Every structure is written in structure tokens, then in C-alpha cells.
Amino acid sequence: ISVLSMTNDMNLDLIERHILFDNPNEWTISSGLGRDWPDGRALYANVTNVQSQTPDFMIWVNEEDHLRIMCLRSGGDIQGVFTTLWNGLHELERELSIRGWHFCYDARLGYLTSCPTNVGTAMRASVHVRLVNLGRLPGFFELVERLKLEVRGMYGETDRHYTGIFDISNAERLGKSEVHLINVMVDGVAKLIELERKLEAGEQVDICEIARS
């Protein structure tokens, strides 16, 4: 589906439902990534009608990188999500190779991307987690960083609105395997949920001390 062919209402609906990337903001405009918008931008989704159905496998075309490939599902089946993503990547890479194309890869650095923070595996594994109590405490962001994770709002890295729901993902991409990064994310999120449950039960939690230790 070409972004150019979408109505304004359809465009905003898909963005709100996390199916489509945002329209350019000050970050993408200043970097040049928003140039000639929306020409050449598109969405692939594994459903026949994105307005009435919710896809769980999507490819964003020319948002920042040429392709961003993702699998999004409700629930906690991390392995199932990864398997779907892997199968999709394998098929896409096979089709590209038939046509003489391949993903940009450096033997030392790994996969190369527009955003330097994604160089390496180029994989970001994340979950949306409700941390209403923990997210308000001093030291929360330091703790997340110590767990080798990064935190965003529900609507991406530029989202600064506090809702109590955070997008938690692996912070590293370079020099680690995909399996290792997923395990780091799973273990770190489990620790955050453990602390949130303690706060819900009325226990005192000193997350600054936990982060230091």
C-alpha cells in the first residue's frame, strides 16, 4: 500500500494502530529522511484489508531504512514472534537474491542501517509493559540502562508522554547474537515486572540502590 494512495483518515488510523510509521517530525526532517515525503513510502501487511484487520507481520518501505521488517503480537510468545520474523526474513532474502540483491552487510560490523544505533544485528526486540508505579520512581531510567535495555513511550523514541506503559527493548545491537539480545530483554523485563509487583503490594523498593548493585 503506497502512502501516497492513502486518505488522511486512513493514514492517521494506521499510525494510531501502530501499523504504519509516523509522518515526518523535526527529527526526520532535519536528518533528510523526510525528503520528498510521501513519495516512495509504502506498507506491506499480511492481511487483505488493513482497515478492518490487524496484521502481525509488516514491512515499512523507506521510512528511515529501505526496509523495516517486523512482527507484532499481543501476549508473551516471544519465540513465536521471532520464528515468524525469521521465516519472513528468510523468504525475503531468498527472493532478493534471485534478483541479484542482498542486505547491506559488513564482515566486521554486521548489517548496516541508516541509524547507527541499529548497526550489527539490526534487531530490536521489545515488549510493551505497564509499570505505573516503577516508572515514576527516581532511578528508573538508570536501572533500565544497567539492565542493558532502553525505554521508550508507547509511540516511539520521541514520545515524551507518561502513560505508565513503556516500550522496553534491548539496547545493544552490535557484537551480540540475536538469541543473546532476546534473552537479555526477557530477563530484564522480568526483573522490572518483579519490582512493579512489589510496589503494587505496598513494599518499599529502592531502585537507585538496585541499579548501583
Side-chain angles (χ1 to χ4, degrees):
I1 306 169
S2 166
V3 175
L4 198 59
S5 70
M6 297 177 184
T7 65
N8 286 339
D9 287 344
M10 180 182 180
N11 180 262
L12 294 174
D13 174 64
L14 293 177
I15 292 171
E16 181 70 22
R17 290 163 58 203
H18 304 284
I19 295 173
L20 182 66
F21 41 84
D22 282 333
N23 292 312
N25 55 28
E26 63 272 20
W27 292 40
T28 49
I29 290 171
S30 63
S31 68
L33 294 170
R35 189 172 57 243
D36 300 320
W37 197 275
D39 187 48
R41 276 72 177 190
L43 164 72
Y44 167 83
N46 66 337
V47 294
T48 55
N49 188 333
V50 291
Q51 292 181 274
S52 61
Q53 299 169 284
T54 300
D56 66 359
F57 183 84
M58 296 166 289
I59 300 175
W60 290 354
V61 181
N62 290 331
E63 180 234 6
E64 287 184 3
D65 291 290
H66 292 135
L67 298 175
R68 281 204 171 171
I69 304 157
M70 51 208 121
C71 182
L72 277 170
R73 287 182 189 160
S74 299
D77 183 11
I78 305 295
Q79 184 174 349
V81 169
F82 183 75
T83 300
T84 298
L85 183 66
W86 176 260
N87 289 337
L89 277 166
H90 177 77
E91 288 301 310
L92 179 60
E93 194 164 26
R94 185 177 65 83
E95 290 291 337
L96 288 172
S97 67
I98 291 172
R99 292 160 173 79
W101 297 92
H102 56 85
F103 294 126
C104 193
Y105 185 83
D106 180 86
R108 183 172 66 90
L109 297 174
Y111 291 99
L112 305 179
T113 59
S114 294
C115 180
T117 62
N118 288 326
V119 170
T121 63
M123 187 195 74
R124 181 174 175 269
S126 72
V127 292
H128 281 183
V129 187
R130 187 182 300 275
L131 302 169
V132 176
N133 301 292
L134 189 65
R136 292 186 183 278
L137 292 184
F140 170 67
F141 293 97
E142 180 187 359
L143 174 60
V144 172
E145 186 176 340
R146 288 296 186 95
L147 291 170
K148 298 189 183 302
L149 302 175
E150 64 180 8
V151 59
R152 302 179 179 182
M154 284 184 64
Y155 297 98
E157 56 193 327
T158 60
D159 182 9
R160 298 291 181 265
H161 300 290
Y162 179 82
T163 63
I165 300 176
F166 297 94
D167 183 327
I168 309 290
S169 65
N170 54 292
E172 298 175 307
R173 314 280 194 272
L174 189 63
K176 302 289 193 306
S177 72
E178 289 86 350
V179 172
H180 172 81
L181 296 179
I182 288 176
N183 287 335
V184 167
M185 185 273 289
V186 169
D187 292 343
V189 168
K191 180 64 176 179
L192 296 175
I193 292 173
E194 174 193 334
L195 296 174
E196 176 69 15
R197 286 176 174 166
K198 287 184 177 181
L199 291 169
E200 287 177 351
E203 298 181 38
Q204 295 295 316
V205 173
D206 185 346
I207 60 174
C208 292
E209 179 60 32
I210 294 170
R212 284 192 294 270
S213 63

